[in-house]
Amino acid sequence: MKNIFKILLSFMLAAPAIVSAQNVITNIYGRDVQSLGGKWDAIIDPYDQGRRNEIYMNRTPQGKTDFYEYSFTGGQRLNVPSDWNSQTPELKYYEGTVWYARRFDVQENAGERLFLYFGAVSYRCRVYLNGEEIGRHEGGFTPFQFDVTGKVKPADNFLAIEVNNTRTPDAIPAMNFDWWNYGGITRDVFLVYMPQVFIEDYFVRLDKDSATAITATVKLSNPVEGEKVRVEIPELKIDRTVTTDVHGVAEVSFEAKKLVRWSPENPCLYRVMVSSTTDRVEETIGFRNIRVEDEEIILNDKPIFAKSISFHEEIPQRMGRAFSEADAVMLLSEAKALGCNMIRLAHYPQNEYTVRLAERMGFMLWEEIPVWQGIDFGNVETRAKAGNMISEMVMRDRNRCALTFWGVANETQPSPARNEFLRTLISQVRALDDTRLIVAAFDNVFFTREAGRFTMDDPFHKELDVVAVNKYMGWYHPWPVTPDKAVWDVARGKPLIVSEFGGEALYGVTGSPDTVSSWSEEYQITLYRDNLRMFENIPNLRGTSPWVLFDFRSPYRFHPVNQNGWNRKGLVSDQGQRKKAWYIMKDYYDNK
Ligand code: GCU
């Protein structure tokens, strides 16, 4: 594990100058932070003129002749964290640049080092502090930070963020995706107070094939050799001290005989403290084993069936991004009510409130980066961006035992460039974390008349631990045979998850149960019944994840009555009402 940091460093150094964020501090919510959330001043900059006018300098007229055609005072104000689209009608469809600005003072007893941390900014941004650009980041769903030690004044610091969510072909996701392109500073922003040498990262996990052997790898912020690092798990009577190597990294393994492993039925977590002479951090961590054995997914030595559901990071009632603990409670309690033991966080890493609460509630998690359909796979910059996104995702969440699946792609078409792109991602994930399963969702399963069954012609699936398939029988695809005759011969020898199936219904619409265009709840029931019947003919089926828990916003769902900018495949409407098919799925999971 020690050489992981060398690999990460080389990757970061290798990355084109897109991302100048440093290694993200692990467990930011366990650190000494000052929130910069609240109302920020804002300037909407559709023609990208702000940088040319250096508005981040926030100049004010001095003499009689000078004047400035901007000011961050008395103008638009936006909430942070939040997307901008849901805050004011004129920004509902806005894609472009918005400047955010605010002032902040630094706490008296400021630590020796100071960082500016962002949970996520959609989609790309440049950060200016007291008139100086301190860094930039690309990727709308992962954290990043900048070291601002020595760059702040005790009071009245001026922070300006140039945020842009324009879709581009080389981005991730690219030009077209089936969710709302929310822009803004969508997650928490913190000033982080740290000692000179601090515990930058730690990874505490159960060894892949052991029910009792735990390994902890701790990395200091500086390559300090001979530093004492202590790892404590009081409930397991674990208290070990080790010394760092030349890289400031220490690793210790120990037996935990009395360990109770985490599972959806028993989401048991332990207090873990990691300390050094100058720093100390703690959090609750769970321990579990996850692996595959032929066509079985094995959790803690027992085969499991993933009773999953997907949701976007959106609160439909608010038509905005989810970003808080309360939002996480709303989304996850609906999944719990449906009888799920897993969530597919579609199609991008979601905020830590959701991930940590899901772990406490006993949900396994599938987390992915938005390599969604048409990505510019041949573009080296795009590949570097994906590499950085996936490392930010894994580094943020690899201490989350609920995280069982890392997703590297959704509905990408086979090509040498695609394969190479995904191989790079997979090797990078495995280098950062070899304790979880790698999955990707395919949409190229088709019924072949000759074989009289459903097959898939995408050999890349062999390079994954678990194969997932998105298949919309009865919606995008008519039934070639009756569901009871719909036999699958797909990715045999691997566990298979049907990661998307379903169809649209507008809540409250009744209609004929066998007519797609009825948009009725009755037809959605038929569709669910038929697909669940077909699933009995998938011998290696080890999980299902209906698309989708809630109706969600999508800019190309144009039907004015039945959609009106919403993807209506939810089992729950945008107002939180359960559609009739919800009860079909509930019954299926209750009996699984
Ligand atoms: C795709 C895709 C989803 C999309 C869904 C749909 O499979 O992965 O992101 O929303 O289909 O068409 O509803």
Side-chain angles (χ1 to χ4, degrees):
M1 184 51 75
K2 284 197 191 152
N3 60 10
I4 156 63
F5 298 109
K6 282 181 267 173
I7 295 168
L8 189 66
L9 209 56
S10 62
F11 183 83
M12 299 294 280
L13 294 172
I18 299 168
V19 182
S20 52
Q22 291 97 0
N23 299 348
V24 175
I25 297 170
T26 297
N27 181 20
I28 205 72
Y29 289 90
R31 310 291 184 153
D32 178 4
V33 297
Q34 172 187 340
S35 171
L36 295 181
K39 283 277 183 209
W40 289 47
D41 298 306
I43 292 178
I44 302 168
D45 181 11
Y47 287 17
D48 285 306
Q49 294 302 302
R51 205 181 312 150
R52 194 174 63 76
N53 292 305
E54 298 182 337
I55 64 174
Y56 51 82
M57 299 301 290
N58 197 30
R59 293 194 179 92
T60 49
Q62 300 306 316
K64 290 199 175 316
T65 55
D66 63 342
F67 68 96
Y68 296 98
E69 297 187 273
Y70 72 85
S71 168
F72 280 104
T73 313
Q76 180 93 45
R77 308 208 77 202
L78 292 173
N79 293 324
V80 169
S82 174
D83 58 277
W84 62 56
N85 311 72
S86 60
Q87 295 195 52
T88 160
E90 62 266 26
L91 290 177
K92 178 177 178 181
Y93 291 96
Y94 183 67
E95 295 184 302
T97 296
V98 171
W99 290 79
Y100 286 76
R102 65 157 292 162
R103 298 179 179 284
F104 67 86
D105 301 343
V106 174
Q107 279 169 11
E108 273 320 302
N109 60 357
E112 290 155 78
R113 292 188 61 187
L114 200 57
F115 292 82
L116 200 50
Y117 173 96
F118 297 86
V121 174
S122 181
Y123 168 76
R124 56 183 73 76
C125 67
R126 295 184 182 211
V127 178
Y128 304 82
L129 179 60
N130 297 329
E132 182 211 336
E133 182 184 343
I134 57 168
R136 54 190 80 171
H137 184 262
E138 178 163 346
F141 304 102
T142 45
F144 58 98
Q145 72 199 27
F146 302 108
D147 188 340
V148 293
T149 311
K151 294 190 176 148
V152 294
K153 304 173 287 183
D156 203 30
N157 293 282
F158 183 73
L159 180 61
I161 322 276
E162 179 188 3
V163 180
N164 175 280
N165 73 337
T166 304
R167 286 167 292 117
T168 56
D170 64 344
I172 299 170
M175 292 304 287
N176 157 44
F177 42 92
D178 190 22
W179 63 86
W180 208 264
N181 183 22
Y182 290 111
I185 304 178
T186 51
R187 294 183 191 156
D188 291 328
V189 183
F190 294 134
L191 267 182
V192 190
Y193 297 88
M194 301 299 262
Q196 193 54 40
V197 178
F198 58 89
I199 295 167
E200 179 183 278
D201 177 58
Y202 52 87
F203 183 22
V204 187
R205 69 281 185 194
L206 202 50
D207 291 0
K208 202 164 172 57
D209 308 316
S210 161
T212 56
I214 293 177
T215 297
T217 309
V218 180
K219 177 179 182 301
L220 299 179
S221 54
N222 303 52
V224 181
E225 184 171 10
E227 171 80 3
K228 294 237 169 313
V229 165
R230 187 174 176 193
V231 177
E232 300 162 77
I233 312 179
E235 288 140 278
L236 294 172
K237 304 208 174 357
I238 301 287
D239 184 346
R240 300 294 299 271
T241 298
V242 275
T243 310
T244 55
D245 65 13
V246 285
H247 302 292
V249 175
E251 188 161 286
V252 59
S253 295
F254 41 82
E255 281 294 314
K257 291 274 177 262
K258 297 226 173 355
L259 179 73
V260 176
R261 288 180 286 182
W262 179 98
S263 67
E265 301 73 36
N266 179 13
C268 127
L269 301 173
Y270 292 90
R271 244 177 103 224
V272 176
M273 288 96 90
V274 180
S275 54
S276 66
T277 45
T278 55
D279 195 12
R280 184 183 179 290
V281 57
E282 77 168 75
E283 63 176 312
T284 55
I285 293 180
F287 302 94
R288 52 93 191 95
N289 301 109
I290 186 85
R291 61 189 169 82
V292 292
E293 209 170 280
D294 302 329
E295 298 184 342
E296 296 300 341
I297 301 173
I298 311 286
L299 177 72
N300 302 338
D301 310 323
K302 285 202 293 298
I304 54 158
F305 187 92
K307 302 193 278 186
S308 179
I309 188 82
S310 298
F311 56 63
H312 273 288
E313 186 178 51
E314 182 182 75
I315 301 298
Q317 293 88 340
R318 196 171 67 219
M319 295 207 287
R321 277 269 174 248
F323 57 78
S324 67
E325 182 84 17
D327 293 340
V329 171
M330 193 290 262
L331 295 168
L332 293 168
S333 44
E334 192 57 46
K336 191 57 100 177
L338 187 61
C340 298
N341 65 6
M342 180 163 121
I343 310 276
R344 178 187 178 193
L345 298 172
H347 288 291
Y348 35 78
Q350 300 194 12
N351 66 72
E352 278 200 70
Y353 297 108
T354 297
V355 170
R356 287 176 179 271
L357 179 59
E359 180 166 277
R360 294 198 297 275
M361 290 174 72
F363 288 108
M364 294 180 288
L365 291 173
W366 159 336
E367 197 167 48
E368 58 190 19
I369 61 169
V371 174
W372 193 91
Q373 298 189 358
I375 298 292
D376 188 358
F377 293 117
N379 179 329
V380 286
E381 294 243 341
T382 301
R383 191 180 302 187
K385 292 175 192 179
N388 195 63
M389 274 179 204
I390 215 156
S391 66
E392 288 174 346
M393 171 176 84
V394 174
M395 295 301 279
R396 187 196 77 177
D397 289 340
R398 62 182 181 167
N399 282 311
R400 304 277 69 75
C401 63
L403 244 294
T404 32
F405 298 89
W406 296 123
V408 293
N410 181 75
E411 299 189 353
T412 57
Q413 298 320 309
S415 74
R418 188 275 319 247
N419 295 354
E420 208 31 55
F421 189 104
L422 297 188
R423 267 189 210 106
T424 313
L425 286 182
I426 292 172
S427 65
Q428 197 189 329
V429 170
R430 293 210 197 282
L432 293 170
D433 167 35
D434 63 357
T435 67
R436 292 179 174 85
L437 305 177
I438 305 272
V439 66
F442 296 85
D443 67 341
N444 33 22
V445 165
F446 298 105
F447 183 79
T448 40
R449 287 232 163 266
E450 308 71 60
R453 55 193 54 215
F454 286 83
T455 58
M456 177 168 81
D457 174 18
D458 189 337
F460 190 82
H461 75 267
K462 296 194 177 76
E463 304 188 33
L464 301 165
D465 299 312
V466 173
V467 176
V469 172
N470 299 350
K471 193 65 188 170
Y472 286 87
M473 294 313 299
W475 189 254
Y476 295 130
H477 311 288
W479 291 95
V481 289
T482 52
D484 58 323
K485 304 252 174 336
V487 176
W488 285 41
D489 178 6
V490 174
R492 295 308 309 271
K494 298 255 180 196
L496 186 145
I497 293 178
V498 172
S499 43
E500 291 184 30
F501 71 97
E504 309 209 11
L506 180 60
Y507 178 77
V509 171
T510 56
S512 85
D514 55 15
T515 311
V516 181
S517 60
S518 67
W519 297 87
S520 67
E521 294 191 48
E522 283 70 25
Y523 182 74
Q524 198 184 37
I525 290 176
T526 306
L527 184 147
Y528 268 75
R529 285 215 174 97
D530 289 349
N531 276 273
L532 296 178
R533 177 61 194 83
M534 174 180 69
F535 294 163
E536 293 167 30
N537 308 335
I538 308 180
N540 52 339
L541 183 72
R542 296 298 178 273
T544 54
S545 197
W547 189 259
V548 63
L549 186 55
F550 288 94
D551 289 354
F552 64 93
R553 303 181 66 216
S554 169
Y556 56 77
R557 302 294 172 175
F558 303 127
H559 192 288
V561 178
N562 298 308
Q563 295 178 312
N564 186 23
W566 292 86
N567 182 314
R568 296 287 186 196
K569 293 191 181 70
L571 287 171
V572 183
S573 76
D574 58 296
Q575 293 310 310
Q577 303 131 320
R578 294 171 180 164
K579 301 176 189 175
K580 293 175 181 144
W582 185 93
Y583 300 90
I584 304 291
M585 208 56 218
K586 166 76 175 158
D587 182 54
Y588 179 75
Y589 279 163
D590 286 355
N591 297 297
K592 197 68 183 152

